[in-house]
Amino acid sequence: MALKRRVQDAHISKRIRALHGALLSIVGVMNRPQRDELLIREAGIPLDRALFPLLVGIERFGPIGIVDLAERAGRDYTTVSRQVTKLASLGLVKRQTGGDDRRVREAVVTAKGKAMTDAVDAARERFGRALFAKWKERDIEELVRLLGKFAKDIEAVPSIRANG
């Protein structure tokens, strides 16, 4: 059965394209190595830039399996496994047996690692305050609400989560 196209579909398509463009811009900025280096410097932490997003990911989503962490970071599993081993050797994370599946090795942040991510959060807060200085409070609240809703919904769709 053919789908009937409605007039509003054209507007939705334009909005989705505009949303996709905005998301590409945001992801592009977020993935710039210079952004991580700036946050690391501003936070005053001694951490290699390649390890930085993994430490933050472990703190935010942990305990987290290495495969899940690699998928979230868009990196190869073996590379992430080596980098998590390096984070563990620095005392920033520890590895443990998975709670649900004893075969899975999970990473969890240590107190030392949490202190680093807290410093990063403080630096991010300073940058965020500057970024939103001219925004109205209700606009910030609406952005946070809608992005949270979008994140929840996009993670709930298996085909989008699994296939990008």
Side-chain angles (χ1 to χ4, degrees), residues 32-88:
R32 289 182 186 148
Q34 301 88 342
R35 298 293 285 204
D36 288 350
E37 289 169 1
L38 182 62
L39 263 176
I40 290 167
R41 250 191 336 271
E42 179 69 19
I45 59 173
L47 188 63
D48 182 277
R49 186 188 51 78
L51 302 176
F52 171 75
L54 297 177
L55 178 62
V56 171
I58 292 166
E59 190 272 328
R60 295 295 190 269
F61 302 110
I64 186 170
I66 303 305
V67 172
D68 188 15
L69 181 61
E71 288 175 358
R72 286 180 178 273
R75 296 184 188 172
D76 177 73
Y77 164 83
T78 57
T79 300
V80 169
S81 182
R82 282 192 304 274
Q83 290 170 326
V84 169
T85 297
K86 176 69 175 171
L87 286 168

Side-chain angles (χ1 to χ4, degrees), residues 5 12-13 25 32-33 54 77 85 103 116 122 126 161:
R5 295 190 76 73
I12 291 171
S13 293
S25 293
R32 289 182 186 148
L54 297 177
Y77 164 83
T85 297
R103 298 169 296 173
M116 275 197 181
R126 290 189 295 276
R161 187 177 63 239

Side-chain angles (χ1 to χ4, degrees), residues 15 22-24 38-39 47 60 67 73-74 77 83 91 97 99 110 134 138 155:
R15 288 182 186 139
L23 289 172
L24 287 175
L38 182 62
L39 263 176
L47 188 63
R60 295 295 190 269
V67 172
Y77 164 83
Q83 290 170 326
T97 303
T110 63
K134 295 180 181 177
R138 69 177 178 265
E155 284 188 343

Side-chain angles (χ1 to χ4, degrees), residues 5-15:
R5 295 190 76 73
R6 298 177 297 202
V7 174
Q8 71 186 30
D9 289 345
H11 297 294
I12 291 171
S13 293
K14 286 180 184 177
R15 288 182 186 139

